Amino acid sequence: MKEFAIYTGLRAALFAVCFAVVWFALNAQLSVFPLLLLALIVSSILSIFVLRAARERLAGQIERRATKMSQRIEQARSAEDED
């Protein structure tokens, strides 16, 4: 769960930075909604490259948890078969 919180926090921080940059770059000439949309698009593209390591750590954690769960289910299934 820690990796999820870290990755989500980094995504939020990246979005906030992108929004601030877009806001100051355009001198608030647009209304808030287009600025939010533009910041969302830019931060989504940047996150592909900037947050790669954090995303891979999160994916590894999810994979480990899924493997453990699959093993537990298989152990329970084989225990039922033995009974």
Side-chain angles (χ1 to χ4, degrees):
M1 213 56 186
K2 175 186 165 188
E3 296 297 330
F4 177 76
I6 291 171
Y7 181 70
T8 302
L10 289 172
R11 286 290 306 257
L14 183 62
F15 173 75
V17 168
C18 287
F19 181 76
V21 168
V22 168
W23 177 272
F24 289 115
L26 297 177
N27 293 324
Q29 294 173 353
L30 299 173
S31 65
V32 175
F33 182 72
L35 292 175
L36 286 171
L37 188 60
L38 185 58
L40 180 66
I41 293 168
V42 170
S43 69
S44 296
I45 293 169
L46 285 176
S47 72
I48 293 170
F49 305 105
V50 175
L51 302 179
R52 177 175 288 149
R55 186 174 50 253
E56 287 176 357
R57 284 191 303 269
L58 176 61
Q61 180 188 25
I62 291 170
E63 185 177 355
R64 286 188 299 275
R65 290 182 71 188
T67 302
K68 279 184 185 178
M69 190 176 296
S70 295
Q71 289 172 349
R72 287 180 190 165
I73 291 171
E74 190 58 40
Q75 287 174 353
R77 186 175 293 145
S78 64
E80 287 177 0
D81 290 343
E82 291 175 3
D83 291 338

